[in-house]
Amino acid sequence: MSILWVLPETLETEPLVADLKDSFFVESEPVARSTKTWFDTFDWRLYKNNFYLYADEEAWHLFRGKPDIEAASHPLDDKIRRVFAWDFSTGRFRLLIEPVIEMRSLMPLVTLESSTICLRILNKDDKTVAFVFLAEHVLREIRGVYSSVKLQCVRGYERQFRKMTRFFSQYGITEQTSVQYPFEEGIKAGGRKPLDYSSRFMIRLKPEMSARQAMVLVYRELLEAMLKNESGVIEDIDSEFLHDFRVAIRRTRSGLGQIKNVLPAEITENAKKDFAWLGSITGPTRDLDVYLFYEQNYRARLPERLQEGLDTFFADLRLKRKDKQEKLVAQLKSQQYREIIAGWQGYLNGDAGKESTINADRPIIEPVREIIYRTYRKIMKDGTAITPSSPDDNLHRLRIQCKKLRYILEFFTSLFPENDMKRVIKHLKRLQNNLGDFNDLSVQQEMLRNYLADIKPSSRKNQELSVSLGGLLTNLYHEQHRMRDAFASRFSEFSASKNAILYTTLFYKKVRIKPLQGSMGPK
Amino acid sequence: MSVIAVYNIKGGVGKTATAVNLSYLSAAGGNKTLLCDMDSQGSAGFYFRVRSSRKFNTRKLLKGGKHVDRSIRGTDFLGLDLLPADFSYRNLDIALDDMKKSRQRISRVLKPLQQEYDHIFLDCPPNITLLSENIFYAADYILVPLIPTTLSHLALQQLYRFLDEIQVDRSKVFVFFSMVEKRKKMHWEMMRQLIKKKRFLPAIIPYLADVEKMGLYRQPVNVSSPHSMAAAAYNSLWKEVRNGLKLQ
């Protein structure tokens, strides 16, 4: 049991300590200085899951929830810079953070420097019966200063603890605080706030907004997401900066391609070209990131004897990634990149809205309904036509259709009832997972085949490598077939009449469901 | 999660000093630790300046649960608590004898405490009684400080025979040399013979004034004289015990 109070700003600590020494047997220990640095991922994964993490001179401390309960700790080793979950040794600490932060890097957010004196309250046997920690803190980010006092109970000496509490309340020390107080203050002072970034697309639109207004908001939001992630991509902090950066590019391209005739044709065409270029320069690094994620997975697929070849393979991928990343950084610092971003930003913040096009002034909800419904119908038609003997290409095409639909649904979620949209997206997601896995497996096989084609089988090492990759190819091939077999049932779930009714009621224009007429959808 | 009994049939071999110093090192290493003083003399409590609660006695100990919870005292060191002994513990055997399942009582009392503490140390009284049986039954690890003399070795064999008799696994036992005197040839001779045997830890606690002075400072050696030989000796003993616990 312990209580932590913030000292009133006007309170002088010296008379307080003097009075404490007059009233109790006190033994004071020398001043101890410490520094705490709080960490979280860029997208606040720890905070979102009610965790707080800080490192001091000795260890990493992980807290869960507000009542300052330490959930786990991990010793600090100066020689090793730990930023990813896998940098920590296996144990409770890693077990708790790994599923939360996954592949994201821990970034330092707030640093607190404290000097603390520990006063031991003694009884007549010189036994410590309570601890008082008086501390002065400096929040490094803002040079903000405050003092705190912590009263720590010693088990079995609760009466003394209550007595001390009364002593402090005489001095007006009543404002309780939490260990995480400096974190939240520091974040605020640093101009950020918790949960100010999420990779989810969240924008509130109104149905009566003009299509032009709405799309400009959507594009602005996406551009902002790109800009927020840009420095993380360049510094290569973790893989997800590039991932989110690319998602924003793909979403923009999807918007430009699908929500037609809103921006002037020339603008749209140029932006399409520019964003295609952005997609192409960011692709190679991301592909390698994805392959590198497969390392554990691939090892698990192979018997131990074949795993050695994978070392060579992944070492090689890491080298390739380093090279691609360097090229990517060069591109992101290029004139061309800066011009594209500045041009698009300038357009969205200034000129957009002057020219008229067919859809620009319609209420956004109208074209959106048309597009969603059209895409849904197409997916239904193409999906139904897929049989066990159809070529793989048909599934790939269907996957792309689904992806387009998903982006549009996410852009415009706020225009429709929330719960309905959740269901619509949930069903689509299940289908997409199947198609996505199928596609990933075929992309992986192609990558491995290309890689194998370049290997010269002369050395023993390369032979081992070829054997390992051969084993992998077989294994991936079988799994892909399992995915393919599962497609039919996933698609039938998606095409179930319940889902069809949902699409019709939400997106089919002008249809009002009147049970007496019995008309549910388009003829 | 593990219960470590510090035990020897003979008295004055450094049991309490071992229990006090190792439990301190355990807590200092970040493990929530409880030291239970099972000896009615209450020496462990003396070293930590903890007086037992007036309301606590043998009966309360054997009832367990909240009766024990209320009697646990924090020491001067964060993470280290103590269950002080009561003078009535001198009759613990008699009280146990009157109970059903009399060999498992202590084990039952400790069970809920194992949720709360990473390590529980038992500082045991020097004898072989029903209480000892209880302790052997409850312990994961029986740590025996042994003065390297012929009689001590005989006492150790007696302990092994007793464990076989009550069907407690001998592999719980770990022995280390305690109060070793550098000048005594006989100590070195005994150690030379015994160290090769199973279940002997390589750490040695020499006979040192700093350990004796614990009674004066009433603190663990690693607090009163952290740079002393004695502190170093307990450090290496704790390292070996800790590794042994991990292996179990």
Side-chain angles (χ1 to χ4, degrees):
Chain A
M1 181 168 43
S2 69
I3 306 182
L4 181 65
W5 292 283
V6 185
L7 291 189
E9 267 174 46
T10 50
L11 188 78
E12 302 252 354
T13 50
E14 271 167 34
L16 174 77
V17 173
D19 190 8
L20 198 68
K21 285 182 173 168
D22 285 344
S23 317
F24 304 92
F25 294 123
V26 176
E27 192 178 285
S28 50
E29 291 186 359
V31 177
R33 288 179 210 291
S34 69
T35 308
K36 282 184 190 147
T37 305
W38 275 263
F39 288 80
D40 205 338
T41 63
F42 186 64
D43 53 357
W44 305 97
R45 292 188 182 198
L46 291 173
Y47 185 88
K48 226 182 337 195
N49 287 281
N50 215 11
F51 280 116
Y52 294 89
L53 173 68
Y54 69 73
D56 58 20
E57 286 79 359
E58 276 150 22
W60 293 82
H61 302 273
L62 184 67
F63 286 79
R64 182 181 268 163
K66 279 272 157 132
D68 292 343
I69 296 167
E70 185 157 346
S73 66
H74 184 286
L76 195 71
D77 184 343
D78 290 338
K79 287 169 213 135
I80 305 166
R81 213 173 87 91
R82 292 195 169 83
V83 283
F84 292 106
W86 51 82
D87 294 334
F88 294 91
S89 45
T90 42
R92 186 174 159 72
F93 183 88
R94 180 161 161 188
L95 217 62
L96 283 171
I97 63 161
E98 196 154 23
V100 176
I101 69 172
E102 293 176 295
M103 71 301 269
R104 293 233 71 159
S105 150
L106 293 169
M107 300 168 74
L109 293 171
V110 173
T111 301
L112 184 77
E113 289 157 4
S114 313
S115 34
T116 308
I117 39 169
C118 169
L119 304 165
R120 291 166 177 271
I121 311 298
L122 308 176
N123 67 8
K124 60 178 191 295
D125 294 331
D126 282 344
K127 158 90 182 76
T128 309
V129 290
F131 293 90
V132 173
F133 298 94
L134 257 169
E136 270 178 33
H137 311 278
V138 180
L139 259 172
R140 198 184 275 170
E141 281 69 21
I142 47 163
R143 317 276 344 140
V145 182
Y146 76 99
S147 303
S148 70
V149 59
K150 179 176 156 187
L151 177 61
Q152 172 88 47
C153 180
V154 175
R155 186 164 179 174
Y157 301 90
E158 285 77 12
R159 204 191 309 160
Q160 198 67 32
F161 180 79
R162 287 192 292 273
K163 213 162 140 189
M164 301 296 303
T165 313
R166 284 196 294 277
F167 174 85
F168 285 120
S169 72
Q170 282 171 15
Y171 276 90
I173 301 172
T174 48
E175 191 192 338
Q176 287 193 25
T177 177
S178 118
V179 180
Q180 319 307 345
Y181 167 79
F183 169 72
E184 296 185 355
E185 286 302 299
I187 293 290
K188 243 189 276 169
R192 286 193 73 177
K193 60 175 184 238
L195 307 182
D196 62 3
Y197 177 81
S198 159
S199 58
R200 273 183 57 201
F201 189 82
M202 307 176 284
I203 187 171
R204 306 287 318 161
L205 300 171
K206 293 192 191 85
E208 63 276 11
M209 267 180 186
S210 74
R212 188 199 293 121
Q213 265 178 320
M215 285 319 291
V216 165
L217 284 179
V218 167
Y219 292 139
R220 265 193 214 153
E221 178 86 5
L222 292 169
L223 181 62
E224 200 171 308
M226 286 173 64
L227 295 175
K228 276 183 181 166
N229 282 291
E230 192 187 272
S231 63
V233 175
I234 292 173
E235 288 166 43
D236 201 11
I237 295 171
D238 65 40
S239 59
E240 299 314 283
F241 285 95
L242 179 58
H243 177 245
D244 288 3
F245 189 78
R246 273 177 60 78
V247 168
I249 294 171
R250 273 208 309 271
R251 282 178 170 150
T252 307
R253 291 178 69 187
S254 189
L256 290 167
Q258 292 189 83
I259 318 291
K260 289 178 188 137
N261 302 322
V262 175
L263 304 184
E266 196 197 329
I267 298 283
T268 307
E269 279 318 302
N270 281 337
K272 271 185 178 172
K273 248 183 273 158
D274 290 344
F275 278 86
W277 181 75
L278 290 173
S280 73
I281 61 165
T282 48
T285 312
R286 175 63 194 169
D287 288 348
L288 285 159
D289 278 342
V290 173
Y291 301 148
L292 286 169
F293 280 136
Y294 288 126
E295 187 161 353
Q296 287 309 316
N297 178 306
Y298 280 5
R299 285 186 193 284
R301 284 173 192 272
L302 288 181
E304 213 166 302
R305 283 202 49 228
L306 291 186
Q307 286 179 18
E308 256 177 46
L310 289 181
D311 294 342
T312 322
F313 175 66
F314 280 105
D316 188 29
L317 286 192
R318 267 185 275 275
L319 271 180
K320 283 203 174 109
R321 186 196 177 277
K322 200 170 158 248
D323 175 53
K324 298 290 181 203
Q325 168 70 15
E326 276 164 19
K327 289 197 174 116
L328 169 60
V329 171
Q331 300 275 31
L332 292 181
K333 289 182 172 167
S334 70
Q335 185 75 19
Q336 187 180 1
Y337 173 79
R338 278 200 303 270
E339 276 171 11
I340 288 176
I341 296 294
W344 185 232
Q345 200 167 21
Y347 175 75
L348 293 177
N349 291 334
D351 297 339
K354 287 183 185 139
E355 315 86 341
S356 194
T357 50
I358 309 171
N359 281 330
D361 294 311
R362 291 174 68 194
I364 181 68
I365 194 153
E366 289 178 10
V368 164
R369 276 205 173 112
E370 288 164 19
I371 293 159
I372 293 178
Y373 199 73
R374 203 190 311 131
T375 316
Y376 167 72
R377 294 291 301 165
K378 192 152 170 42
I379 290 172
M380 287 297 289
K381 196 174 144 218
D382 294 354
T384 316
I386 290 177
T387 63
S389 57
S390 321
D392 288 355
D393 274 356
N394 293 10
L395 271 95
H396 293 320
R397 263 201 300 278
L398 189 69
R399 182 181 68 89
I400 290 165
Q401 296 283 353
C402 287
K403 209 166 191 170
K404 282 183 178 169
L405 178 59
R406 173 81 172 273
Y407 285 145
I408 300 293
L409 288 170
E410 283 174 350
F411 285 163
F412 302 109
T413 298
S414 60
L415 299 178
F416 302 95
E418 199 184 324
N419 283 339
D420 289 343
M421 288 306 272
K422 267 190 193 151
R423 279 166 58 203
V424 165
I425 290 176
K426 199 178 100 191
H427 288 134
L428 179 61
K429 216 169 161 180
R430 276 181 62 80
L431 177 62
Q432 276 188 294
N433 284 344
N434 174 271
L435 291 167
D437 288 347
F438 179 79
N439 181 60
D440 286 349
L441 288 161
S442 77
V443 170
Q444 287 175 56
Q445 289 174 65
E446 197 187 319
M447 179 266 294
L448 291 174
R449 273 195 297 273
N450 291 340
Y451 191 90
L452 267 174
D454 290 345
I455 294 177
K456 293 185 188 73
S458 52
S459 77
R460 192 180 154 70
K461 209 167 152 194
N462 280 350
Q463 275 174 17
E464 262 177 22
L465 176 60
S466 314
V467 171
S468 299
L469 298 189
L472 256 183
L473 273 169
T474 320
N475 186 300
L476 294 172
Y477 172 80
H478 286 301
E479 182 161 344
Q480 192 188 16
H481 269 257
R482 279 198 293 280
M483 288 295 151
R484 176 81 204 241
D485 292 343
F487 170 76
S489 76
R490 287 293 174 84
F491 189 76
S492 80
E493 278 170 36
F494 177 79
S495 57
S497 57
K498 253 189 183 170
N499 204 27
I501 292 170
L502 208 52
Y503 273 89
T504 314
T505 42
L506 287 171
F507 309 119
Y508 186 62
K509 62 177 173 181
K510 283 169 204 151
V511 160
R512 301 274 178 272
I513 298 210
K514 288 178 188 162
L516 282 178
Q517 290 177 340
S519 138
M520 285 298 212
K523 292 278 154 28
Chain B
M1 306 260 256
S2 41
V3 178
I4 305 145
V6 184
Y7 175 83
N8 194 322
I9 303 177
K10 297 171 82 63
V13 297
K15 283 190 301 293
T16 303
T18 305
V20 165
N21 289 317
L22 293 193
S23 59
Y24 167 76
L25 289 172
S26 156
N31 300 295
K32 197 129 199 305
T33 305
L34 175 69
L35 170 57
C36 299
D37 189 354
M38 306 302 296
D39 188 349
S40 60
Q41 293 175 39
S43 315
F46 174 79
Y47 282 141
F48 284 116
R49 301 160 196 263
V50 174
R51 289 165 195 256
S52 74
S53 145
R54 266 182 230 115
K55 292 173 196 153
F56 186 63
N57 52 35
T58 298
R59 209 165 44 84
K60 294 265 170 86
L61 171 75
L62 295 177
K63 273 190 181 170
K66 61 178 186 214
H67 301 284
V68 166
D69 258 358
R70 277 184 203 142
S71 304
I72 293 176
R73 296 283 178 268
T75 66
D76 287 13
F77 311 102
L78 292 174
L80 177 59
D81 290 349
L82 177 79
L83 179 63
D86 185 69
F87 192 54
S88 63
Y89 277 17
R90 68 191 184 282
N91 298 323
L92 245 170
D93 282 296
I94 303 166
L96 282 167
D97 207 18
D98 289 342
M99 299 177 106
K100 283 181 193 159
K101 296 208 171 167
S102 60
R103 288 177 55 191
Q104 293 163 30
R105 290 322 282 205
I106 298 293
S107 174
R108 271 199 213 177
V109 171
L110 294 179
K111 195 143 238 175
L113 296 170
Q114 280 177 276
Q115 307 274 326
E116 191 181 340
Y117 293 98
D118 300 319
H119 295 143
I120 299 179
F121 285 83
L122 306 176
D123 182 18
C124 310
N127 46 33
I128 290 198
T129 58
L130 189 50
L131 172 61
S132 324
E133 255 190 271
N134 264 273
I135 287 169
F136 298 152
Y137 191 81
D140 302 305
Y141 203 100
I142 304 168
L143 193 58
V144 180
L146 187 98
I147 304 180
T149 62
T150 325
L151 287 182
S152 300
H153 185 218
L154 287 177
L156 180 65
Q157 285 167 332
Q158 216 172 0
L159 170 66
Y160 284 149
R161 275 199 300 278
F162 182 67
L163 289 178
D164 293 346
E165 203 175 296
I166 62 169
Q167 292 172 337
V168 168
D169 194 352
R170 271 188 193 201
S171 66
K172 283 184 181 182
V173 175
F174 286 85
V175 188
F176 69 94
F177 294 114
S178 175
M179 299 174 82
V180 174
E181 289 187 62
K182 242 194 337 201
R183 295 164 307 153
K184 286 191 179 164
K185 218 176 151 191
M186 206 263 274
H187 279 191
W188 290 106
E189 187 52 36
M190 276 308 286
M191 279 166 47
R192 207 172 52 80
Q193 284 178 26
L194 292 175
I195 197 78
K196 290 173 219 139
K197 294 199 183 279
K198 265 190 195 167
R199 291 185 277 281
F200 273 76
L201 297 173
I204 293 171
I205 307 293
Y207 187 90
L208 290 167
D210 282 321
V211 182
E212 301 271 288
K213 281 187 200 154
M214 278 173 68
L216 217 60
Y217 299 129
R218 299 175 79 178
Q219 276 178 336
V221 175
N222 292 70
V223 178
S224 59
S225 20
H227 304 298
S228 64
M229 248 174 89
Y234 280 112
N235 260 326
S236 51
L237 176 61
W238 171 235
K239 249 185 228 157
E240 284 163 21
V241 173
R242 206 179 46 195
N243 291 340
L245 289 176
K246 271 186 208 151
L247 293 178
Q248 274 192 344

